[in-house]
Amino acid sequence: GGGSSLFRRRYSRGELPCTIRHGVGGLALSWLCPLSDIDYELYLPMFMDGIRCTDNPYKFIARQGVFELIEGARRGRKTETLRSVIPTLIHPMRVALLTRNPDQVLSVIRILKHLVQTHPTLGKSLVPYYGQLITPSLNMFLSKGGRSTFDKMDYSQYRIADLSVEILEMLELFEKNGGNQAYVNIKLMVPTYESCL
């Protein structure tokens, strides 16, 4: 399976600002220029779109690329840049969440947790998007612990209980970092959520 064919094409055409390196510890990304010089408005949404890829190297490049770009923005004090790009990241994250594929859902959850922990102001920037990010599938994973009636899914490589924990941790980070409107908005989407504050 491919996921995002546009990301695959861009990689094949050499349009991404990184290449894949096979190191001693496994795969790694090698950036063609310092992260501080990268056009975040162009590339971060592009990598985020690739997180739906299901096969490597595309899956690795997209997910690792998102994490390294967020981390690069944190180190380079480019939080304002990250905040301005957030609106363009919502759609690809929502599409991945709506697949209900545990691997893709977990990938988005971890990206959101990383984003919120990067800078206090980023949590507040996500509040208007809770309705798009806290999808019914997240409720499904929380309530059923992932025991789902959906066919054609291979849960063998996941401990779905762990996915529930990750979702709960994300919601708690949303509440802690989202300001005074965060809890009300989370509760709206997840009626079973209890405040962690």
Side-chain angles (χ1 to χ4, degrees):
S4 176
S5 55
L6 185 59
F7 185 80
R8 294 160 62 94
R9 276 204 308 282
R10 284 176 167 145
Y11 176 73
S12 304
R13 293 195 300 240
E15 292 174 11
L16 299 180
C18 64
T19 57
I20 200 155
R21 210 178 57 234
H22 297 271
V24 180
L27 299 177
L29 292 184
S30 178
W31 295 91
L32 305 178
C33 65
L35 288 176
S36 55
D37 295 345
I38 284 184
D39 180 349
Y40 272 69
E41 276 148 17
L42 174 66
Y43 288 112
L44 191 52
M46 196 183 287
F47 278 85
M48 192 67 86
D49 195 48
I51 63 174
R52 290 194 326 278
C53 290
T54 54
D55 52 345
N56 283 318
Y58 315 104
K59 175 175 153 177
F60 173 81
I61 295 164
R63 294 178 186 190
Q64 188 64 25
V66 168
F67 273 99
E68 290 188 19
L69 286 168
I70 292 171
E71 191 53 29
R74 186 187 68 76
R75 279 199 315 271
R77 296 185 174 73
K78 293 177 84 171
T79 316
E80 197 48 57
T81 306
L82 270 186
R83 191 169 36 250
S84 69
V85 178
I86 281 177
T88 63
L89 306 180
I90 301 303
H91 180 71
M93 285 194 282
R94 179 171 171 76
V95 171
L97 289 167
L98 290 174
T99 64
R100 296 181 174 190
N101 173 309
D103 179 53
Q104 293 188 29
V105 170
L106 185 58
S107 167
V108 174
I109 298 302
R110 288 184 172 158
I111 288 166
L112 284 166
K113 284 167 63 176
H114 190 50
L115 201 55
V116 169
Q117 290 172 301
T118 298
H119 195 273
T121 57
L122 294 175
K124 288 188 179 77
S125 302
L126 288 171
V127 177
Y129 303 105
Y130 283 2
Q132 293 168 67
L133 295 172
I134 305 173
T135 59
S137 58
L138 296 193
N139 269 320
M140 176 198 79
F141 285 119
L142 277 172
S143 65
K144 295 190 174 116
R147 288 186 302 284
S148 147
T149 53
F150 298 102
D151 52 347
K152 292 192 288 237
M153 284 196 187
D154 177 21
Y155 289 112
S156 59
Q157 53 189 314
Y158 306 100
R159 304 251 328 266
I160 295 299
D162 296 345
L163 182 53
S164 302
V165 168
E166 295 258 5
I167 293 168
L168 196 56
E169 284 175 358
M170 179 198 76
L171 294 175
E172 289 176 351
L173 283 168
F174 277 8
E175 184 185 359
K176 287 174 184 164
N177 297 284
N180 56 8
Q181 291 301 303
Y183 174 71
V184 178
N185 283 283
I186 294 167
K187 192 76 175 167
L188 202 62
M189 307 306 296
V190 186
T192 56
Y193 180 75
E194 299 295 333
S195 176
C196 66
L197 299 178

